[in-house]
Amino acid sequence: MWYFQKIDPVQSVIPFKYVAFVGAGGKTSLIEYFASRLVKEGKTVAITTTTKIFVREPYQLLKNSKDQIDVTSLNRFGRTLENGKLTAVNDEDIQRIGSSYDIVLIEADGAKHRPLKFPAPYEPVVPSVAEKIYVVSGLDALFHQVQEVVFRYELFCNITGIDGQAVVTEDVFMNFFSPSILFKGVDTGKCTIVLNKYDVLRQRSCGGIVAKGLLKNIHGPDLIVSSINHHVFYRITR
């Protein structure tokens, strides 16, 4: 029997200091949601990146290792500011930030606003200190052409032999959850899968099909079906 339980996912973040986010289809939105909720829980929260992330106020640039960390209830950190984005910090920076903040939320991947992605050889950039990892994907990729909804779809097509004009079916979608794609560089024992944007599906039952299929084939990760923009989260279990 399958169980769909409405949850507050923030409670599962609180025990950890270093939380990383990879994949596509809502990473930044999930980070910002967690940050705002954690602040309401009385936590000091830092947001940073090992790739790039769009800048929002407040933020601080850590141009060298001697820069003092500014502590506020919520702050964002990067090495530099380029074209409206904070650039990557390193593991040492992340630990320095963590020495001043209760929780550090780390965007460790990029997807150019696509709901799915195939990683380049240097992606994702999961920091060694990560204690919890959220693997995010967008259910809105379903029933669209691969070339429309997959970031770095050329790499995906070359590796899998799937044509760029092929449709992302439930089976194709589930194939992204493999050690060479969305689980690349990810310890699945630390992982929660987030299937986001179920609210935009014409047939919401398709989200359930994907969730059940993944839970049958993957052992270890928790799985959440969500509409991050509407702050709605369901944990799926058997």
Side-chain angles (χ1 to χ4, degrees):
M1 183 175 294
W2 295 96
Y3 298 93
F4 289 68
Q5 178 187 12
K6 193 172 184 179
I7 63 166
D8 177 1
V10 173
Q11 300 305 315
S12 64
V13 180
I14 289 175
F16 303 103
K17 179 175 285 288
Y18 300 105
V19 183
F21 299 78
V22 302
K27 295 187 307 298
T28 304
S29 296
L30 186 58
I31 289 170
E32 292 291 342
Y33 171 75
F34 279 159
S36 63
R37 288 282 285 103
L38 288 165
V39 168
K40 290 179 181 178
E41 295 283 339
K43 303 295 184 181
T44 57
V45 182
I47 296 173
T48 190
T49 182
T50 55
T51 55
K52 291 183 179 180
I53 190 171
F54 281 105
V55 67
R56 293 179 61 174
E57 297 281 357
Y59 68 90
Q60 180 185 358
L61 301 181
L62 301 178
K63 296 181 179 179
N64 60 68
S65 60
K66 295 182 180 179
D67 288 339
Q68 183 176 346
I69 302 293
D70 295 337
V71 180
T72 59
S73 59
L74 172 61
N75 207 353
R76 298 168 179 83
F77 295 88
R79 273 293 175 127
T80 62
L81 184 60
E82 295 181 5
N83 300 318
K85 292 184 177 181
L86 295 171
T87 61
V89 300
N90 58 33
D91 276 21
E92 181 182 346
D93 295 326
I94 291 170
Q95 291 181 73
R96 288 180 57 226
I97 295 167
S99 68
S100 299
Y101 281 82
D102 294 327
I103 298 176
V104 184
L105 306 178
I106 307 142
E107 182 152 334
D109 212 350
K112 294 288 181 70
H113 303 292
R114 302 292 178 88
L116 286 171
K117 77 163 294 180
F118 190 95
Y122 52 85
E123 296 174 314
V125 190
V126 179
S128 61
V129 295
E131 302 165 281
K132 180 72 176 176
I133 304 170
Y134 285 87
V135 179
V136 185
S137 62
L139 288 168
D140 54 329
L142 287 169
F143 311 118
H144 292 276
Q145 289 185 350
V146 167
Q147 62 190 5
E148 295 174 342
V149 295
V150 178
F151 181 50
R152 305 198 195 286
Y153 76 90
E154 300 93 343
L155 294 176
F156 174 76
C157 294
N158 288 339
I159 295 295
T160 64
I162 295 175
D163 190 89
Q165 295 183 346
V167 172
V168 179
T169 62
E170 290 100 331
D171 286 339
V172 171
F173 191 101
M174 286 187 280
N175 284 337
F176 278 82
F177 291 86
S178 74
S180 62
I181 309 181
L182 290 180
F183 287 149
K184 181 186 172 189
V186 172
D187 180 348
T188 55
K190 301 178 179 178
C191 168
T192 292
I193 297 170
V194 180
L195 304 178
N196 187 34
K197 301 183 182 179
Y198 81 91
D199 55 302
V200 306
L201 292 175
R202 292 182 179 178
Q203 296 181 336
R204 295 188 182 179
S205 61
C206 295
I209 292 171
V210 171
K212 293 173 184 178
L214 290 175
L215 288 173
K216 286 178 181 178
N217 296 318
I218 301 171
H219 301 286
D222 290 333
L223 189 145
I224 294 172
V225 175
S226 72
S227 172
I228 296 171
N229 287 341
H230 294 286
H231 302 171
V232 178
F233 302 86
Y234 288 92
R235 175 176 287 119
I236 315 300
T237 56
R238 297 186 73 175

